[in-house]
Amino acid sequence: MSVLVFIDSADGHVKKASLEAMTYGVKIAEQMGTVAEGVVLGSIGEDLAALGKYGIKKIHHVANESLNHLDAQVYTNVIAQVAEATGAKVIIFSNNVDGKAIAPRLSVRLKAGFVSGAVALPETTNGFIVKKNVFSGKAYANVSVSSDIKIIALNPNAYKVVAGEGTAEVIAFNATVNASKVKVTNVTKASGEVPLTEAEVVVSAGRGLKGPENWGIIEELAKTLHAATACSRPVADAHWRPHNEHVGQTGFAIAPNLYIAIGISGAIQHLAGVNRSKVIVVINKDPEAPFFKAADYGIIGDAFEVVPKLTAAIKKLKGMA
Ligand SMILES: Cc1cc2nc3c(=O)[nH]c(=O)nc-3n(C[C@H](O)[C@H](O)[C@H](O)COP(=O)(O)OP(=O)(O)OC[C@H]3O[C@@H](n4cnc5c(N)ncnc54)[C@H](O)[C@@H]3O)c2cc1C
């Protein structure tokens, strides 16, 4: 019996969300008196043994190149083989794009209870109870899982990465890899320097910016803070910004440490995608803008005056000016 963590990667590098999933899985394993193991699929450009510093004891690596691109059906089949071979009773995913595609399929395959959007360690002293977000982060639910095998998808940024010492044993896992039923013919990467869903800081703007020609001040602030850029839906719908920046109920749901909302009214559909941010700063010229109710800090003012001053002040603070 062990805890198995799916460690996903992009361009051969382990994603930050997977470091969180590893730390989380290791803690659950401690609670259950067992160890955490990991599974990595496809080519990887970093030293997997070094992931032992997050407490993972063994890493099962299926180094088949056909696994370099996510195919949820193929991945599910391979991870199921690793889960069966290791006798995993708890399987951890990040609740990101990969996790959302694979974990539900795996739960059907293994007849496992599945909790998506977990935000805290499970209570394991009396049953197995997982706290998760519901209603777009407006409330929490405690879900009791009674199946023999349990699958949890942990919300990104919900659990802090803890690194210590140690190395993991890396085991080449010889899995049967089915041929994919779909073929990736072309990949176009999102233009932003920092991927939105992985970003610790996000600078986001809305219709208050008046037009795409004014986004220079947003990009400059984002660059200064090493942040990703995001936008409200009407901005993406009007093609002022690409759709991969759209956050909210119908866009990406994000949970950065800092979310700066500029010229965004704070409609409920927008808040649904950003209200898990740790700190929210709102810049809006209307003191009655609903977003101020969800803000930790608010600046009432014209974005075209406030944002350049804020950028200049941060540059000065960082010695960039
Ligand atoms: C089913 C459904 C799903 C939706 N999904 C989403 C979603 O996923 N994401 C999303 O964002 N929206 C979504 N919406 C739309 C949502 O309801 C709002 O219409 C939208 O979020 C408003 O975008 P906005 O705040 O950029 O624009 P506005 O509502 O026009 O607000 C602009 C804000 O900018 C301020 N402002 C203006 N000029 C300045 C200035 N110079 N300086 C500072 N502030 C200024 C104004 O005071 C105002 O508060 C959805 C709607 C529906 C019906």
Side-chain angles (χ1 to χ4, degrees):
M1 183 188 87
S2 69
V3 173
L4 183 67
V5 181
F6 171 60
I7 302 168
D8 66 350
S9 57
D11 297 329
H13 294 286
V14 172
K15 291 184 189 168
K16 177 178 159 267
S18 283
L19 305 185
E20 295 164 1
M22 275 189 263
T23 309
Y24 180 77
V26 166
K27 203 73 198 160
I28 295 176
E30 273 173 25
Q31 282 182 200
M32 296 172 62
T34 181
V35 292
E37 304 183 12
V39 51
V40 174
L41 308 187
S43 311
I44 196 95
E46 53 187 274
D47 178 15
L48 288 179
L51 296 177
K53 71 178 174 207
Y54 302 104
I56 291 277
K57 298 293 179 213
K58 288 182 187 169
I59 293 182
H60 305 274
H61 185 200
V62 187
N64 189 315
E65 276 188 13
S66 65
L67 297 168
N68 286 357
H69 289 288
L70 170 70
D71 178 311
Q73 287 174 327
V74 177
Y75 270 43
T76 301
N77 188 36
V78 172
I79 297 169
Q81 294 172 53
V82 178
E84 277 156 12
T86 56
K89 292 294 180 199
V90 179
I91 306 172
I92 310 294
F93 288 84
S94 174
N95 197 29
N96 58 9
V97 172
D98 291 17
K100 282 176 183 168
I102 307 162
R105 288 180 162 89
L106 190 66
S107 76
V108 173
R109 169 82 186 249
L110 299 179
K111 296 189 171 46
F114 170 47
V115 182
S116 66
V119 293
L121 285 171
E123 174 57 61
T124 52
T125 46
N126 189 11
F128 194 98
I129 298 164
V130 188
K131 184 176 179 182
K132 62 165 282 176
N133 268 146
V134 288
F135 300 121
S136 302
K138 284 203 165 313
Y140 297 108
N142 288 316
V143 181
S144 174
V145 191
S146 55
S147 53
D148 182 35
I149 300 175
K150 300 158 180 74
I151 299 181
I152 304 176
L154 173 72
N155 266 350
N157 273 343
Y159 202 77
K160 200 168 181 297
V161 177
V162 179
E165 309 247 304
T167 47
E169 181 190 351
V170 181
I171 300 160
F173 191 95
N174 194 8
T176 304
V177 181
N178 294 339
S180 178
K181 291 183 187 130
V182 291
K183 187 171 169 222
V184 178
T185 53
N186 184 27
V187 176
T188 310
K189 293 221 164 151
S191 54
E193 283 184 18
V194 184
L196 181 56
T197 49
E198 298 265 307
E200 306 247 339
V201 181
V202 174
V203 176
S204 185
R207 220 153 34 180
L209 264 284
K210 316 279 187 243
E213 66 281 4
N214 294 325
W215 244 259
I217 56 170
I218 303 300
E219 281 169 349
E220 188 63 20
L221 177 59
K223 202 168 148 202
T224 309
L225 289 168
H226 192 61
T229 45
C231 68
S232 64
R233 175 171 154 173
V235 162
D237 284 349
H239 303 294
W240 294 1
R241 298 296 291 177
H243 262 291
N244 57 36
E245 288 196 359
H246 158 197
V247 289
Q249 184 186 317
T250 46
F252 283 109
I254 55 172
N257 289 335
L258 173 62
Y259 183 72
I260 305 179
I262 303 163
I264 302 176
S265 57
I268 190 163
Q269 297 89 354
H270 184 87
L271 290 175
V274 302
N275 59 7
R276 287 191 291 109
S277 307
K278 295 230 164 56
V279 174
I280 296 179
V281 175
V282 168
I283 302 171
N284 198 302
K285 69 175 186 185
D286 174 8
E288 302 295 325
F291 221 147
F292 283 120
K293 291 203 181 84
D296 296 284
Y297 301 92
I299 302 172
I300 301 167
D302 188 321
F304 297 100
E305 287 172 25
V306 174
V307 175
K309 281 186 189 161
L310 186 61
T311 306
I314 295 167
K315 279 187 178 169
K316 199 169 164 200
L317 201 68
K318 288 186 156 189
M320 293 161 77

